[in-house]
Amino acid sequence: MGLSSAHIKEALDGLAARDALIGQALDTVGYPEPRHRPAEFSTLLQIITAQQISTQSAAAVWLRLQAFLGDELSAEAVSACTEEDLFGAGLSARKASYARDLAQKCLSGELDLEAVSGLPDEAAISAICAVRGLGRWSAEIYLLFAEGRPDVWPADDLAVQVAFQRLHGLDARPKGKAFYPLTEKWSPQRGACALLMWKLYGAPTLGATNTP
């Protein structure tokens, strides 16, 4: 589950030896902490819950959903709810629809998270993106935090974009597909670099972040 502290340190130390900017970032903020999530349905449900709202709002909604479902944050429990039930528990109408679609696809085996864990990165991303409401960013966050895949790079994450832009002194934020080639120098350890970018973005000199 997630990248370990030892992996993060080893990866970033290795990169700092050949990239002065990584060394500069480490001197500024130190090593980022691991971010561990369980490799299961509940993590994808929480990612859906957190989309397009603040960290504080997402935490409040998640607590309401936990209170409604009890300990059964499972595909079975969500599938047994109506969209109206989930709306009443704090999800928006659209997210309630997404949550039920995720639950039904997990129960039918259309999305098999155990099988996903054995797929290459791009195939795993495609499998997760087959669920309504889960795009590439959501899939990359799951693969990085829940599966600890070492070379996942969430190119659509605003905080990662801004931190990279400032670290490299770029005039504009790199975005989407055009962002990936800029990070090839960090492959196959881009996951640890993404964690470092989030920490840099949250540093007092770089502003605050709302990351998942």
Side-chain angles (χ1 to χ4, degrees), residues 177-198:
K177 292 182 179 180
F179 198 174
Y180 294 103
L182 300 180
T183 65
E184 286 180 355
K185 60 184 178 178
W186 293 341
S187 183
Q189 303 293 355
R190 286 181 285 192
C193 292
L195 295 173
L196 181 60
M197 292 303 104
W198 276 313

Side-chain angles (χ1 to χ4, degrees), residues 41-195:
F41 167 85
S42 65
T43 293
L44 286 173
L45 178 62
Q46 189 169 18
I47 289 171
I48 287 174
T49 300
Q51 289 171 350
Q52 298 180 328
I53 58 177
S54 71
T55 300
Q56 294 78 9
S57 295
V61 172
W62 186 244
L63 286 174
R64 285 183 62 186
L65 195 59
Q66 286 180 308
F68 177 73
L69 294 172
D71 294 330
E72 293 296 321
L73 287 170
S74 63
E76 291 83 359
V78 171
S79 182
C81 296
T82 64
E83 291 183 17
E84 290 75 16
D85 290 335
L86 296 171
F87 179 77
L91 293 180
S92 68
R94 179 171 294 179
K95 288 181 181 179
S97 174
Y98 293 162
R100 279 183 48 80
D101 186 58
L102 170 63
Q104 289 163 2
K105 283 185 167 63
C106 285
L107 290 174
S108 71
E110 187 173 343
L111 178 63
D112 182 340
L113 292 178
E114 185 174 346
V116 165
S117 68
L119 296 175
D121 291 350
E122 286 301 319
I125 288 169
S126 295
I128 294 171
C129 288
V131 178
R132 288 192 297 117
L134 290 175
R136 187 176 182 93
W137 176 86
S138 299
E140 289 170 334
I141 293 299
Y142 178 85
L143 296 180
L144 181 58
F145 292 173
E147 294 193 2
R149 298 202 183 203
D151 203 34
V152 170
W153 180 257
D156 292 324
D157 190 275
L158 175 63
V160 169
Q161 293 172 353
V162 171
F164 186 96
Q165 175 192 1
R166 292 176 178 174
L167 183 64
H168 289 79
L170 303 177
D171 292 333
R173 283 189 288 118
K175 301 177 183 178
K177 292 182 179 180
F179 198 174
Y180 294 103
L182 300 180
T183 65
E184 286 180 355
K185 60 184 178 178
W186 293 341
S187 183
Q189 303 293 355
R190 286 181 285 192
C193 292
L195 295 173

Side-chain angles (χ1 to χ4, degrees), residues 2-6 8 32-36 195:
L3 300 176
S4 69
S5 295
I8 292 168
E33 294 297 318
R35 299 191 182 201
H36 293 163
L195 295 173

